[in-house]
Amino acid sequence: MFSKLYFVVLPFVLIFVYFYVTLVNTSFGKQLNELSLKYFSKSFFSGRSELWEAIWQVGLKQPIFGHGIGLQPKEVTEFTLSSHNQYLQVFLETGFLGLIAFCILLFFIWKALLKNSHTYVGAWSACFFIGILFYQSMEYSLFINNLSLSYLQWLIITIGISFNER
């Protein structure tokens, strides 16, 4: 079952983005927001839904190849923030082809981690990788946007891939 987690998690996080953006304008979304404000004193919607909707709309203008590597949302939207979503950022820059290639790259990283999942270090690194896939739906840190966190994530991934139990 563990080896199939990639095929559960990645579609889930991609679908999550769609539902999070559309939920904000529904009565259920408003009820969730009221409950969140009541019990946590925090809004359920952090503003990401508006940012993601704007990025999605811009991305759909050039959906196959995207708008080019290095493009920041502030260059094409009224927002001055980063995309706060690795998958949308990849889509914005490289289109659906780039997003598919990125998902394939993540799959091969997953397969490499599974080869060492019989070891303690490899299993923990694979679990961390699954966490990274979730985290990237709310942040943009695998690439150069946040170097200190990016380096730490890649270090843990590479340790899990290269770990040798002697």
Side-chain angles (χ1 to χ4, degrees), residues 82-97:
S82 76
S83 62
H84 287 285
N85 186 301
Q86 183 76 55
Y87 309 105
L88 275 176
Q89 184 65 35
V90 169
F91 171 68
L92 178 67
E93 292 179 22
T94 60
F96 283 120
L97 288 178

Side-chain angles (χ1 to χ4, degrees), residues 61-75:
K61 292 179 182 174
Q62 293 186 21
I64 305 298
F65 297 109
H67 293 273
I69 304 272
L71 182 74
Q72 295 297 314
K74 66 183 174 186
E75 297 173 45

Side-chain angles (χ1 to χ4, degrees), residues 10-116:
L10 195 64
F12 174 81
V13 297
L14 294 174
I15 292 168
F16 163 78
V17 174
Y18 170 77
F19 282 113
Y20 189 76
V21 169
T22 57
L23 190 65
V24 72
N25 295 320
T26 65
S27 60
F28 181 67
K30 291 177 177 131
Q31 289 173 338
L32 275 176
N33 195 47
E34 288 172 15
L35 287 171
S36 181
L37 286 169
K38 179 179 178 182
Y39 292 110
F40 305 117
S41 300
K42 297 279 184 187
S43 176
F44 186 77
F45 301 103
S46 61
R48 281 182 170 90
S49 56
E50 292 86 9
L51 172 64
W52 292 350
E53 175 68 22
I55 291 171
W56 178 252
Q57 293 304 321
V58 170
L60 286 177
K61 292 179 182 174
Q62 293 186 21
I64 305 298
F65 297 109
H67 293 273
I69 304 272
L71 182 74
Q72 295 297 314
K74 66 183 174 186
E75 297 173 45
V76 290
T77 69
E78 70 274 5
F79 296 95
T80 59
L81 305 168
S82 76
S83 62
H84 287 285
N85 186 301
Q86 183 76 55
Y87 309 105
L88 275 176
Q89 184 65 35
V90 169
F91 171 68
L92 178 67
E93 292 179 22
T94 60
F96 283 120
L97 288 178
L99 183 59
I100 291 167
F102 180 62
C103 291
I104 291 170
L105 171 68
L106 293 175
F107 172 72
F108 282 115
I109 292 170
W110 175 246
K111 293 298 278 183
L113 284 166
L114 286 179
K115 288 180 183 174
N116 274 345

Side-chain angles (χ1 to χ4, degrees), residues 129-149:
F129 182 73
I130 292 297
I132 289 172
L133 294 180
F134 275 111
Y135 183 67
Q136 295 312 302
S137 68
M138 293 300 257
E139 200 48 67
Y140 169 46
S141 65
L142 274 180
F143 298 145
I144 60 171
N145 189 50
N146 186 343
L147 281 178
S148 58
L149 184 55

